[in-house]
Amino acid sequence: MRDFADRRRTRSTAVVLALTVIGAILPGVGLIVGGRRKLGAFVLTVTLALAGAAAYVAVARPPAVLALVVSPHKLLIVAAALVVVGLAWVWVVVASHELVRPLTMKWVPRLAGALLVGVLSFAIALPTTAAVTAVLSQRDLIGSVFLPGLDSRSATRPDVNVRDPWANRPELNVLLLGGDGGANRTGIRTDSVMVASIDTRTGATHLISLSRNWMRMPFPANSPLHKAYPDGFWDPALGDVEQPEYYLDAMYDNVPKAHPGILGPTDNEGADVLKESVGAAVGLPIDYYVQLSVQGFEKMIDALGGVTVNINYPVPIGGDYGIGPGTRGPRKPTGYLEPGPNQKLDGYHAMWFARGRYGLDDPSRQARQRCTIQALVHSANPATVVSRYQQIAAAGKQLLRTDIPQELLPALVRLAVKMKHAAITNVDLDGAKNFPTGRDPNYPAIRELVQQALHPAHHPAATRHASTATPAESLAQLCAYHPS
C-alpha cells in the first residue's frame, strides 16, 4: 500500500487525467491502479464479460435480440439494467479519479480533473439516457399497438400455438388496410385494400390489390354475413348500376352499421368484416389485419427520412371529381409529382404518390401503393432506425391498428427478416377481363389467378374462368423506371 501511496503523491497532472480517461474507457483499470485491486479486477471482468456477451448475441444470436425488442416485460428489464449500468459506470469514473489523484494536488489541476470527470460522466449519461428512452419508446409502441391475446377481442383471429405458430401453416395471409376519415368525411373508407401472402418458410411475399369500387363482395358460406348478403354486398333493388355505398371501400363502415355485432365480440368489427369478405374474394383465409392511417403514414415516412421511388407519369396531388360519398365538391389537383427516376419523397408527397388518382385509374394507383410499401421496407435500414427511433415509434402508434397478438411478435419479426431478403411479387388479377367496371367482378377467376401465382406447380394451365396472362410479376420490375 505504501508503494501505491508514494506513486500517487508523485503522479503528474497529465498522468492523472490519462488514468481517469483509461478508467472510463475500461472500467476497473483506474481502481486497480488506485490500489483497489480486487474491486477493480471484479469490475473489469464484469465489463469485459458484458461486452463480450452483447457482441456474441448481436452477431451470433440475432433472433434473441429480435425476440427481446418485442417483449414489453423484457424491455422494462433492459431499461432498468441500462440505468443501473450507467450509474455504476459514472461511480467507477468518479471513484477511479479519486484514487489516482494525489491528495496534495493543487487547485488548478484539481479543477481540471473535476471538469474531466464531469465531461466523462456526461458522455456516459447522454447515450445511456438516449438508450433508455428508446427502449421505453419501443415498449410503449408494442404495448399500445399489439395487445396480448387475452386483452383484445377478434371475431376472425385464428388460434395458433405461439411456440410453433407456422406448424402446418405454409402461408401467413395479412390484410393491409389504408384509409382515413379526413375532413368532411363521415367514418372511414378503406381506399387501399391489399393482401400480403407470406411464405412462412422463405419469407417470399405475394401482394394482391383489390379495387376500392368492387361491388358484390362475397362472404364465406359459413359466415352470418352470407345470410345477410347471399349474392354479395350490393342492393339488387337498385339494379345493375354503380352503388358507391356498396363498394368495397364502404364495407368497413356500412356493414357494422347495418348489422352491429353480427360477427360476435370484436374490437374492430369493420376490419373483421373485411377479413371475411376479402378472404372469400381472393380464396385465401385471412389471418390478421394491419390498418394504416394517412396521418400516421406521413409521419412514419418523415421519421424514416423519406422514401425513394421511380415516378413514370405525372401523379396528381389532390383533386376531386365531386362524385360519390365523402366528396368535398369538384376541384382540380393542386399540383403533380413529375416523372423521374429515384425521386426522394417526404411523407406528404409519398402519401399522394400512393393515393393520387385524379385522371388515373385504380390499377395504376394500386401499383403505386405496392411500390410505396417496397420503398418503405427498403428505407428502414438499421442506421436510420437507430438514429430516428423515437420519431418512428411515435409515428407507429398513430399509424398502426391490428389484431396481431403480442405473443406472436417474436415469430413475426423472425419472419420479417426473411421477407426483407426474399422476393416481393405482385399478383396481376387481370382487371380488363375480370373486373372491367367493378360492378360484377369475376371472383372465381380472381381466386384461380391467386392460386396460380401462389402455387404454380398445381395450376399448370389456366381454367376456363381465369386469364391466360402471367398472374405474378416481380415488384422490382413493376416499380422500375419506365416512363410512358
Side-chain angles (χ1 to χ4, degrees):
M1 291 296 295
R2 181 174 297 176
D3 290 340
F4 281 110
D6 293 341
R7 273 179 263 165
R8 182 175 179 181
R9 280 192 290 269
T10 58
R11 284 188 192 120
S12 67
T13 301
V15 171
V16 170
L17 297 181
L19 289 173
T20 301
V21 173
I22 294 172
I25 297 173
L26 287 174
V29 172
L31 296 174
I32 295 173
V33 174
R36 302 294 298 274
R37 288 180 173 179
K38 291 183 178 180
L39 178 61
F42 173 76
V43 171
L44 182 60
T45 301
V46 170
T47 299
L48 295 176
L50 289 175
Y56 169 77
V57 171
V59 175
R61 300 288 301 277
V65 178
L66 294 173
L68 181 138
V69 300
V70 293
S71 170
H73 176 68
K74 292 178 180 178
L75 287 170
L76 187 59
I77 294 175
V78 170
L82 286 172
V83 171
V84 171
V85 169
L87 292 174
W89 199 349
V90 170
W91 176 85
V92 169
V93 171
V94 174
S96 297
H97 179 72
E98 289 292 325
L99 287 171
V100 299
R101 186 188 68 187
L103 297 176
T104 58
M105 201 173 197
K106 295 182 179 180
W107 72 269
V108 173
R110 186 182 293 267
L111 178 61
L115 288 174
L116 177 62
V117 168
V119 170
L120 292 173
S121 299
F122 181 76
I124 294 168
L126 188 63
T128 301
T129 302
V132 171
T133 302
V135 169
L136 293 178
S137 296
Q138 171 70 3
R139 182 174 185 269
D140 185 39
L141 171 64
I142 296 298
S144 299
V145 176
F146 301 94
L147 299 177
L150 295 177
D151 295 339
S152 59
R153 300 175 302 168
S154 171
T156 57
R157 186 168 55 198
D159 294 324
V160 296
N161 177 4
V162 295
R163 293 185 177 180
D164 189 9
W166 315 138
N168 303 315
R169 293 169 60 84
E171 295 156 1
L172 174 70
N173 301 310
V174 181
L175 178 64
L176 306 177
L177 302 175
D180 199 77
N184 301 321
R185 172 176 281 190
T186 302
I188 294 176
R189 300 183 76 87
T190 50
D191 293 335
S192 174
V193 179
M194 190 182 306
V195 175
S197 184
I198 307 162
D199 188 312
T200 56
R201 294 159 297 181
T202 66
T205 303
H206 288 83
L207 295 179
I208 308 160
S209 293
L210 287 72
S211 290
R212 66 181 188 86
N213 66 338
W214 280 4
M215 288 166 48
R216 296 181 172 88
M217 282 289 292
F219 292 99
N222 61 350
S223 170
L225 287 168
H226 182 74
K227 297 178 181 178
Y229 303 100
D231 299 317
F233 185 61
W234 75 305
D235 186 353
L238 298 177
D240 186 21
V241 296
E242 293 291 335
Q243 300 179 18
E245 292 299 333
Y246 289 88
Y247 282 171
L248 168 58
D249 72 353
M251 297 180 73
Y252 184 94
D253 264 351
N254 290 351
V255 174
K257 287 178 181 177
H259 305 280
I262 191 171
L263 294 177
T266 176
D267 294 330
N268 191 341
E269 189 167 19
D272 279 329
V273 167
L274 283 169
K275 284 174 69 176
E276 288 210 337
S277 187
V278 170
V282 300
L284 297 174
I286 304 299
D287 300 298
Y288 305 102
Y289 80 88
V290 175
Q291 186 173 340
L292 309 137
S293 74
V294 170
Q295 286 86 352
F297 177 79
E298 288 187 40
K299 291 181 179 180
M300 178 62 75
I301 297 293
D302 286 334
L304 288 169
V307 294
T308 300
V309 298
N310 294 308
I311 303 178
N312 291 306
Y313 48 83
V315 177
I317 298 174
D320 194 331
Y321 295 116
I323 302 172
T327 182
R328 287 174 277 177
R331 66 185 189 280
K332 298 289 186 181
T334 59
Y336 285 85
L337 300 174
E338 296 300 331
N342 299 319
Q343 300 268 34
K344 188 68 175 287
L345 304 180
D346 60 13
Y348 174 79
H349 292 96
M351 183 270 292
W352 280 113
F353 175 75
R355 299 189 77 202
R357 65 170 179 253
Y358 191 92
L360 301 173
D361 57 17
D362 266 355
S364 67
R365 186 169 179 254
Q366 293 162 7
R368 283 181 276 116
Q369 289 169 352
R370 293 191 290 270
C371 294
T372 305
I373 290 176
Q374 176 180 254
L376 185 62
V377 170
H378 289 166
S379 67
N381 60 74
T384 301
V385 170
V386 170
S387 62
R388 299 172 177 264
Y389 190 76
Q390 281 185 267
Q391 301 98 305
I392 293 171
K397 289 175 63 177
Q398 299 181 48
L399 173 68
L400 296 173
R401 186 179 182 184
T402 183
D403 62 349
I404 295 174
Q406 199 175 95
E407 296 84 351
L408 194 62
L409 290 180
L412 279 176
V413 293
R414 289 191 291 269
L415 182 58
V417 172
K418 296 180 182 179
M419 289 172 60
K420 192 171 179 66
H421 301 287
I424 301 178
T425 305
N426 167 54
V427 179
D428 180 8
L429 300 180
D430 196 355
K433 182 173 182 179
N434 293 328
F435 46 97
T437 68
R439 290 202 298 269
D440 189 16
N442 187 345
Y443 293 114
I446 289 170
R447 289 190 285 268
E448 179 68 17
L449 280 173
V450 170
Q451 289 303 313
Q452 286 182 44
L454 270 59
H455 309 290
H458 302 295
H459 296 265
T463 70
R464 62 184 181 86
H465 295 293
S467 166
T468 57
T470 301
E473 175 186 14
S474 166
L475 206 56
Q477 294 173 335
L478 178 71
C479 302
Y481 184 59
H482 41 74
S484 302

